[in-house]
Amino acid sequence: MTAPRLNELTATEVAHRLARGETTARAVIEACLEQVARREAEVMAFTHLAAEGARAAADALDRHGATLPMAGAGLGVKDIIDTADMPTGYGSPIHEGHQPAADAACVALARRSGAIVLGKTVTTEFANIHPGPTRNPHDPTRTPGGSSSGSAAAVAAMMLPLALGTQTTSSTIRPASFCGVLGFVPSLGEIPLSGVRTAAQSFDRIGIFARSVADIALAFDVLRGLPVAAAPQPLAPRIGYCRGHLAERMDAGTAERLDRLALHLSQAGADVSDVTVGTTFLQLSQTHQAISSFEFLRNFTYEIEHHWARISATLREGRIAHGRACSHSEYRAALQQAMQARAEIASLFAGRDVLLAAAAAGEAPQGSATGDFQFCAVWTVLGLPALSLPLMTGPNGLPIGAQLLAKPGDEARLLAAAEWVMRNGIG
């Protein structure tokens, strides 16, 4: 077996090699930049590439910081997350070239731990659904998903081991599924959002893209400002399989692939039982639209009032129109519905560690439309930590993710279960 190139290493592997003196941060970053040069013209994952800044940071790390927990790991940052040394345009021509004065908290925490920011990755317009130029690295005729399109594609294309995204509905889980990488969102409020452009404050979360569960766990600790714990140990989980949930929205064969995966996990040693996603939870898709649209409309008042013509028709006729149609009383009622549903989360997890559900309808669809968001809407309203794992392959040989979900605050159990599933879930 050919040894992986430096750009193909996980962030955990990079940090270990640097600590042992087996390579340098500069060598790792050069390998990442070489891969960017090979793939970027086709994938178009970046809005801004900071090659010289990354080289300088790597050199400084080699002189002083080789034992930091994320030492030498290349990092992509979604272009709605502020960076003090490179522009942040929020996926809109309105803010093209905008230069923040400070790093977002998540970026500052990552840099403090030795991560090296290679650049800003493409987002859809204001992290909504109007697509950017990024293409799926497995098939450039297909979407990478959204809104964290560039982050997912850069990790999948081996340009870097880690990237930051965000999620208001399904903006981390769906692109991870389409691009065949791990995508993680924690419980609401776990990772600070200071310096991140707000879409809907009730739902916004930082997302993490990686190629291993260990890297997800590492980045999660770093982005919370916590001491880094040992890598998750695999735990054969009690899985509640949401059999048939949204099957009517799935592509042909996706439900059957999930059924086979659930059976395989059961045969490998997991305790798998079916869970019914009841009416209370199924209604949360409308709840999500009311809350997110009402909040989005207010959060982008400046752009709407002063730059209406520079906002895409997709956004004007979609999220903004929905926000205008939602009254304050409907918004308050939706918030109450969300609170009531969250009080019933325990019923979904009774006797179970995690839930298993679809991450997306199937393979990445042709074209640039970012895909069906419904496969995450319910879980987003509930505030569940979630992981998309690249465990299935579609009829065209493209990846399809399986989604694992845990109770709020139960990320440790989710990551342990995910480590076991990744080791046992591909038969």
Side-chain angles (χ1 to χ4, degrees):
M1 182 179 295
T2 304
R5 297 182 303 186
L6 290 176
N7 62 288
E8 297 172 346
L9 298 176
T10 67
T12 305
E13 291 167 342
V14 168
H16 288 166
R17 289 200 184 192
L18 261 65
R20 295 193 297 262
E22 296 173 0
T23 189
T24 64
R26 179 63 180 265
V28 173
I29 293 305
E30 290 294 350
C32 291
L33 291 172
E34 289 169 7
Q35 183 68 359
V36 172
R38 280 189 287 267
R39 298 296 313 272
E40 176 62 6
E42 176 188 34
V43 176
M44 293 187 284
F46 288 91
T47 64
H48 180 86
L49 186 66
E52 291 311 310
R55 289 183 175 111
D59 290 343
L61 191 68
D62 286 332
R63 290 192 298 270
H64 304 297
T67 59
L68 293 170
M70 292 176 71
L75 180 70
V77 177
K78 183 177 180 177
D79 197 35
I80 65 162
I81 302 173
D82 286 350
T83 43
D85 55 350
M86 56 192 80
T88 304
Y90 312 119
S92 168
I94 296 168
H95 297 287
E96 185 175 0
H98 166 64
Q99 180 57 64
D103 283 340
C106 57
V107 175
L109 287 162
R111 292 201 216 242
R112 187 180 72 177
S113 293
I116 297 173
V117 179
L118 265 70
K120 305 304 289 289
T121 53
V122 171
T123 177
T124 60
E125 179 188 28
F126 297 130
N128 207 262
I129 62 172
H130 186 70
T134 306
R135 301 166 179 168
N136 192 298
H138 301 287
D139 179 348
T141 69
R142 296 174 184 263
T143 179
S147 60
S148 306
S149 48
S151 291
V155 173
M158 301 289 180
M159 296 175 181
L160 33 72
L162 287 171
L164 301 182
T166 60
Q167 178 156 306
T168 305
T169 309
S170 60
S171 295
T172 292
I173 297 300
R174 187 174 67 246
S177 178
F178 288 169
C179 292
V181 297
L182 282 76
F184 169 73
V185 287
S187 307
L188 290 167
E190 278 292 322
I191 297 174
L193 288 168
S194 174
V196 180
R197 184 64 196 260
T198 301
Q201 59 269 22
S202 291
F203 300 138
D204 285 2
R205 289 178 282 178
I206 295 291
I208 303 168
F209 296 93
R211 295 193 293 269
S212 75
V213 176
D215 274 12
I216 296 288
L218 168 66
F220 183 42
D221 282 343
V222 164
L223 297 182
R224 292 183 293 169
L226 300 180
V228 173
Q233 294 303 302
L235 170 68
R238 298 170 299 170
I239 297 174
Y241 175 35
C242 301
R243 187 184 300 275
H245 177 54
L246 297 178
E248 72 281 3
R249 302 186 73 95
M250 294 181 191
D251 296 346
T254 300
E256 290 77 10
R257 287 178 174 85
L258 267 174
D259 287 347
R260 290 197 295 271
L261 174 62
L263 177 60
H264 178 83
L265 294 173
S266 177
Q267 293 171 339
D271 179 358
V272 181
S273 58
D274 287 356
V275 169
T276 300
V277 182
T279 305
T280 298
F281 301 110
L282 292 176
Q283 294 172 344
L284 294 180
S285 177
Q286 289 75 31
T287 302
H288 179 278
Q289 178 170 300
I291 296 170
S292 59
S293 297
F294 186 93
E295 293 179 353
F296 185 96
L297 180 69
R298 276 80 188 164
N299 286 325
F300 287 89
T301 296
Y302 173 82
E303 288 81 4
I304 292 168
E305 290 296 314
H306 298 281
H307 296 283
W308 179 251
R310 304 183 76 187
I311 297 172
S312 71
T314 310
L315 185 55
R316 294 198 304 258
E317 296 165 9
R319 181 71 76 198
I320 292 173
H322 295 153
R324 286 174 168 168
C326 182
S327 69
H328 184 256
S329 60
E330 290 170 331
Y331 169 65
R332 296 301 305 177
L335 289 174
Q336 184 64 30
Q337 290 164 0
M339 290 177 60
Q340 291 170 348
R342 288 169 186 171
E344 298 182 30
I345 288 173
S347 66
L348 284 173
F349 286 91
R352 303 176 181 100
D353 301 309
V354 294
L355 302 181
L356 171 66
E363 293 178 322
Q366 294 275 348
S368 60
T370 57
D372 190 343
F373 63 84
Q374 295 289 352
F375 294 89
C376 297
V378 169
W379 317 125
T380 294
V381 174
L382 294 175
L384 304 185
L387 262 168
S388 179
L389 304 176
L391 292 171
M392 299 179 290
T393 302
N396 298 294
L398 299 173
I400 303 174
Q403 189 171 190
L404 285 187
L405 303 122
K407 290 181 289 188
D410 213 3
E411 285 87 356
R413 194 184 305 271
L414 174 63
L415 293 168
E419 182 64 30
W420 186 91
V421 169
M422 286 297 290
R423 296 187 188 192
N424 293 278
I426 303 176

